mmCIF file of all heavy atoms in Angstrom:
data_model
loop_
_atom_site.group_PDB
_atom_site.id
_atom_site.type_symbol
_atom_site.label_atom_id
_atom_site.label_comp_id
_atom_site.label_asym_id
_atom_site.label_seq_id
_atom_site.Cartn_x
_atom_site.Cartn_y
_atom_site.Cartn_z
ATOM 1 N N LYS J 60 4.445 -4.404 2.393
ATOM 2 C CA LYS J 60 4.678 -3.931 3.777
ATOM 3 C C LYS J 60 3.960 -4.812 4.789
ATOM 4 O O LYS J 60 3.396 -4.327 5.768
ATOM 5 C CB LYS J 60 4.269 -2.462 3.924
ATOM 6 C CG LYS J 60 4.868 -1.557 2.836
ATOM 7 C CD LYS J 60 4.780 -0.092 3.136
ATOM 8 C CE LYS J 60 5.364 0.708 1.968
ATOM 9 N NZ LYS J 60 5.482 2.130 2.186
ATOM 10 N N ASP J 62 5.182 -6.628 6.870
ATOM 11 C CA ASP J 62 5.874 -6.557 8.165
ATOM 12 C C ASP J 62 5.271 -5.476 9.074
ATOM 13 O O ASP J 62 5.485 -5.481 10.277
ATOM 14 C CB ASP J 62 7.370 -6.274 7.960
ATOM 15 C CG ASP J 62 7.619 -5.084 7.036
ATOM 16 O OD1 ASP J 62 7.081 -5.076 5.909
ATOM 17 O OD2 ASP J 62 8.326 -4.151 7.456
ATOM 18 N N ASN J 87 7.071 -8.733 2.228
ATOM 19 C CA ASN J 87 7.881 -7.662 2.798
ATOM 20 C C ASN J 87 9.048 -7.512 1.836
ATOM 21 O O ASN J 87 9.912 -8.384 1.762
ATOM 22 C CB ASN J 87 8.367 -8.059 4.195
ATOM 23 C CG ASN J 87 9.415 -7.100 4.723
ATOM 24 O OD1 ASN J 87 9.702 -6.079 4.103
ATOM 25 N ND2 ASN J 87 9.987 -7.423 5.872
ATOM 26 N N SER J 88 9.077 -6.448 1.078
ATOM 27 C CA SER J 88 10.101 -6.317 0.028
ATOM 28 C C SER J 88 11.432 -5.809 0.554
ATOM 29 O O SER J 88 12.374 -5.670 -0.214
ATOM 30 C CB SER J 88 9.638 -5.348 -1.058
ATOM 31 O OG SER J 88 8.321 -5.548 -1.392
ATOM 32 N N THR J 89 11.501 -5.495 1.842
ATOM 33 C CA THR J 89 12.761 -4.947 2.338
ATOM 34 C C THR J 89 13.708 -6.045 2.822
ATOM 35 O O THR J 89 14.850 -5.782 3.149
ATOM 36 C CB THR J 89 12.517 -3.963 3.508
ATOM 37 O OG1 THR J 89 11.830 -4.660 4.543
ATOM 38 C CG2 THR J 89 11.702 -2.763 3.065
ATOM 39 N N PRO J 129 1.060 5.838 -4.842
ATOM 40 C CA PRO J 129 2.406 6.298 -4.479
ATOM 41 C C PRO J 129 2.885 5.678 -3.162
ATOM 42 O O PRO J 129 2.075 5.446 -2.255
ATOM 43 C CB PRO J 129 2.226 7.822 -4.310
ATOM 44 C CG PRO J 129 0.995 8.166 -5.096
ATOM 45 C CD PRO J 129 0.107 6.961 -5.009
ATOM 46 N N ASN J 130 4.178 5.401 -3.108
ATOM 47 C CA ASN J 130 4.853 4.978 -1.873
ATOM 48 C C ASN J 130 4.465 3.578 -1.394
ATOM 49 O O ASN J 130 4.778 3.196 -0.268
ATOM 50 C CB ASN J 130 4.585 6.009 -0.750
ATOM 51 C CG ASN J 130 5.692 6.008 0.297
ATOM 52 O OD1 ASN J 130 6.845 5.728 -0.016
ATOM 53 N ND2 ASN J 130 5.337 6.292 1.528
ATOM 54 N N VAL J 131 3.794 2.797 -2.242
ATOM 55 C CA VAL J 131 3.347 1.463 -1.810
ATOM 56 C C VAL J 131 4.486 0.437 -1.884
ATOM 57 O O VAL J 131 4.392 -0.655 -1.329
ATOM 58 C CB VAL J 131 2.104 1.034 -2.633
ATOM 59 C CG1 VAL J 131 2.459 0.713 -4.081
ATOM 60 C CG2 VAL J 131 1.366 -0.106 -1.991
ATOM 61 N N GLY J 132 5.566 0.822 -2.603
ATOM 62 C CA GLY J 132 6.735 -0.064 -2.675
ATOM 63 C C GLY J 132 6.952 -0.706 -4.037
ATOM 64 O O GLY J 132 7.604 -1.748 -4.134
ATOM 65 N N LYS J 133 6.472 -0.070 -5.094
ATOM 66 C CA LYS J 133 6.623 -0.638 -6.445
ATOM 67 C C LYS J 133 8.103 -0.755 -6.825
ATOM 68 O O LYS J 133 8.572 -1.810 -7.226
ATOM 69 C CB LYS J 133 5.894 0.241 -7.493
ATOM 70 C CG LYS J 133 4.398 0.355 -7.257
ATOM 71 C CD LYS J 133 3.741 1.316 -8.230
ATOM 72 C CE LYS J 133 4.127 2.768 -8.035
ATOM 73 N NZ LYS J 133 3.805 3.333 -6.704
ATOM 74 N N SER J 134 8.834 0.346 -6.700
ATOM 75 C CA SER J 134 10.234 0.340 -7.143
ATOM 76 C C SER J 134 11.082 -0.570 -6.249
ATOM 77 O O SER J 134 11.981 -1.265 -6.746
ATOM 78 C CB SER J 134 10.790 1.772 -7.135
ATOM 79 O OG SER J 134 9.985 2.603 -7.947
ATOM 80 N N THR J 135 10.783 -0.591 -4.966
ATOM 81 C CA THR J 135 11.524 -1.466 -4.033
ATOM 82 C C THR J 135 11.347 -2.927 -4.441
ATOM 83 O O THR J 135 12.314 -3.694 -4.520
ATOM 84 C CB THR J 135 10.998 -1.278 -2.589
ATOM 85 O OG1 THR J 135 11.042 0.101 -2.269
ATOM 86 C CG2 THR J 135 11.811 -2.065 -1.595
ATOM 87 N N VAL J 148 14.165 4.635 -5.139
ATOM 88 C CA VAL J 148 13.115 4.471 -4.126
ATOM 89 C C VAL J 148 13.251 5.563 -3.069
ATOM 90 O O VAL J 148 14.296 6.199 -2.951
ATOM 91 C CB VAL J 148 13.185 3.086 -3.425
ATOM 92 C CG1 VAL J 148 13.047 1.961 -4.403
ATOM 93 C CG2 VAL J 148 14.477 2.934 -2.629
ATOM 94 N N GLY J 149 12.213 5.816 -2.316
ATOM 95 C CA GLY J 149 12.286 6.825 -1.249
ATOM 96 C C GLY J 149 11.025 6.779 -0.422
ATOM 97 O O GLY J 149 9.961 6.455 -0.950
ATOM 98 N N ASN J 150 11.176 7.101 0.859
ATOM 99 C CA ASN J 150 10.006 7.018 1.727
ATOM 100 C C ASN J 150 9.168 8.288 1.682
ATOM 101 O O ASN J 150 9.012 8.995 2.670
ATOM 102 C CB ASN J 150 10.430 6.689 3.160
ATOM 103 C CG ASN J 150 9.261 6.128 3.947
ATOM 104 O OD1 ASN J 150 8.156 5.976 3.395
ATOM 105 N ND2 ASN J 150 9.461 5.847 5.200
ATOM 106 N N PRO J 152 5.798 9.935 -1.158
ATOM 107 C CA PRO J 152 5.079 9.661 -2.399
ATOM 108 C C PRO J 152 5.662 10.450 -3.569
ATOM 109 O O PRO J 152 6.188 11.542 -3.376
ATOM 110 C CB PRO J 152 3.647 10.120 -2.085
ATOM 111 C CG PRO J 152 3.762 11.064 -0.946
ATOM 112 C CD PRO J 152 5.002 10.714 -0.195
ATOM 113 N N GLY J 153 5.570 9.877 -4.776
ATOM 114 C CA GLY J 153 5.982 10.611 -5.981
ATOM 115 C C GLY J 153 7.451 10.499 -6.326
ATOM 116 O O GLY J 153 8.007 11.382 -6.973
ATOM 117 N N VAL J 154 8.115 9.401 -5.932
ATOM 118 C CA VAL J 154 9.548 9.251 -6.223
ATOM 119 C C VAL J 154 9.756 8.891 -7.703
ATOM 120 O O VAL J 154 10.562 9.497 -8.398
ATOM 121 C CB VAL J 154 10.199 8.191 -5.297
ATOM 122 C CG1 VAL J 154 11.619 7.883 -5.735
ATOM 123 C CG2 VAL J 154 10.173 8.687 -3.857
ATOM 124 N N THR J 155 9.007 7.905 -8.195
ATOM 125 C CA THR J 155 9.137 7.514 -9.605
ATOM 126 C C THR J 155 8.333 8.494 -10.457
ATOM 127 O O THR J 155 7.142 8.692 -10.234
ATOM 128 C CB THR J 155 8.622 6.069 -9.803
ATOM 129 O OG1 THR J 155 9.346 5.219 -8.918
ATOM 130 C CG2 THR J 155 8.806 5.594 -11.236
ATOM 131 N N GLY J 174 3.413 6.215 -9.058
ATOM 132 C CA GLY J 174 2.223 5.941 -8.244
ATOM 133 C C GLY J 174 1.034 6.769 -8.704
ATOM 134 O O GLY J 174 1.192 7.927 -9.078
HETATM 135 N N1 LIG Y 1 8.550 -1.924 5.937
HETATM 136 C C1 LIG Y 1 8.494 -2.005 4.612
HETATM 137 N N2 LIG Y 1 8.852 -0.938 3.855
HETATM 138 C C2 LIG Y 1 8.766 -1.069 2.511
HETATM 139 C C3 LIG Y 1 8.337 -2.253 1.866
HETATM 140 N N3 LIG Y 1 8.360 -2.047 0.527
HETATM 141 C C4 LIG Y 1 8.786 -0.782 0.354
HETATM 142 N N4 LIG Y 1 9.025 -0.181 1.540
HETATM 143 C C5 LIG Y 1 9.465 1.199 1.774
HETATM 144 O O1 LIG Y 1 8.456 2.067 1.252
HETATM 145 C C6 LIG Y 1 9.038 3.267 0.759
HETATM 146 C C7 LIG Y 1 8.535 3.546 -0.648
HETATM 147 O O2 LIG Y 1 9.108 2.617 -1.529
HETATM 148 P P1 LIG Y 1 9.165 2.849 -3.108
HETATM 149 O O3 LIG Y 1 9.593 1.542 -3.701
HETATM 150 O O4 LIG Y 1 9.935 4.067 -3.458
HETATM 151 O O5 LIG Y 1 7.615 3.104 -3.427
HETATM 152 P P2 LIG Y 1 6.942 3.375 -4.851
HETATM 153 O O6 LIG Y 1 5.650 2.642 -4.852
HETATM 154 O O7 LIG Y 1 7.887 3.064 -5.951
HETATM 155 O O8 LIG Y 1 6.660 4.939 -4.733
HETATM 156 P P3 LIG Y 1 6.458 6.058 -5.910
HETATM 157 O O9 LIG Y 1 7.558 5.884 -6.900
HETATM 158 O O10 LIG Y 1 6.562 7.325 -5.139
HETATM 159 O O11 LIG Y 1 5.100 5.822 -6.456
HETATM 160 C C8 LIG Y 1 10.562 3.078 0.875
HETATM 161 O O12 LIG Y 1 11.005 3.720 2.055
HETATM 162 C C9 LIG Y 1 10.715 1.562 1.001
HETATM 163 O O13 LIG Y 1 11.861 1.182 1.729
HETATM 164 C C10 LIG Y 1 7.987 -3.374 2.689
HETATM 165 O O14 LIG Y 1 7.583 -4.451 2.222
HETATM 166 N N5 LIG Y 1 8.082 -3.183 4.046
#
Side-chain angles (χ1 to χ4, degrees):
K60 310 195 182 187
D62 50 307
N87 169 6
S88 317
T89 58
N130 206 31
V131 71
K133 299 175 292 300
S134 303
T135 306
V148 301
N150 200 1
V154 171
T155 304

